[in-house]
Amino acid sequence: MITYAILGGNEEAVGEVKGALQNYPDYLLLGDAISNNEAYEVILKNPPNLVFVDFDSYSSADIPLNFIAELHQYLPELPSFIGVSGKKGFAYEALKNGFVDYLLKPLAPVEVVKTLVKYRRNNNKSETRKICLKSYSDYHFLDLSEVIYMQADNNNTDFHLSSIYKVPGFKTLKYYEELLPENFVRIHNSYVINTEKVTRINFGKNKVYLHSNIKLPFSKSYKKNVEMVKSKLTADNIISPD
């Protein structure tokens, strides 16, 4: 679960950010704030992973960059900050002050996805590595370290935790692939594997072998991905082939 807060919390700003994230059930809004005092309460009480700063909610003199700098006094690790604005004028200030990204309004879905992917790629080590699979009012919180591979099932995705146990996800394989940590790699139109579960790769048979006696085919179009997995796993071994 990734938590976030919004600074510049007028109704319009909150609504736009919440709307952009409504299709991502593993993102949870902790609160919003317009003043620095409110922001301290929201961020220090339960520090979020991400903070969206709506620059349009402030006058140029009131943008809370000093407030963000002061958070170093209270938090051992700062959240990641993302700027949001209807104009490009604040982008330089935002990036100069360590913001991970800057989004222009209206928030385009593809740009939001890119930002979320960038955040996850840069924070794999610190995130909880869980994913929330939601179906109507049913929420399934799945530990990604237990996932061996994912398989496309029409417009849905099955998360396989063993050779006999799977958990359904109600989004496409591509949707999940874009959000998962870098150890999840696509090897076929139908399969994304957890490379931490790979036990063998046979290039002659175009097969990848995983824990629980699972073997999956990889396609020619994704052979480069499998080559990269092989190189990474070989480099990680204490003893590797010549």
Side-chain angles (χ1 to χ4, degrees), residues 102-137:
Y102 188 86
L103 292 170
L104 286 173
K105 299 177 183 178
L107 299 181
V110 66
E111 296 303 323
V112 173
V113 168
K114 289 178 182 177
T115 295
L116 299 183
V117 168
K118 182 187 298 186
Y119 166 75
R120 286 182 179 268
R121 294 293 189 192
N122 293 335
N123 292 273
N124 284 336
K125 292 183 179 179
S126 61
E127 65 179 83
T128 58
R129 293 173 63 86
K130 288 183 179 287
I131 190 168
C132 175
L133 304 179
K134 179 191 174 192
S135 174
Y136 301 103
S137 59

Side-chain angles (χ1 to χ4, degrees), residues 131-135 140 142 144 147-161 165-180 184-186 188-194 216:
I131 190 168
C132 175
L133 304 179
K134 179 191 174 192
S135 174
H140 195 125
L142 192 62
L144 289 176
V147 176
I148 299 175
Y149 70 99
M150 302 179 314
Q151 182 176 8
D153 180 12
N154 294 318
N155 288 323
N156 297 327
T157 301
D158 290 329
F159 286 71
H160 290 260
L161 280 70
Y165 179 50
K166 64 184 178 182
V167 178
F170 298 95
K171 300 284 186 180
T172 64
L173 185 61
K174 180 176 175 59
Y175 170 88
Y176 292 117
E177 179 191 7
E178 291 176 340
L179 296 179
L180 289 170
F184 284 87
V185 174
R186 192 160 197 152
H188 189 281
N189 280 339
S190 297
Y191 300 112
V192 169
I193 62 169
N194 182 351
L216 300 175

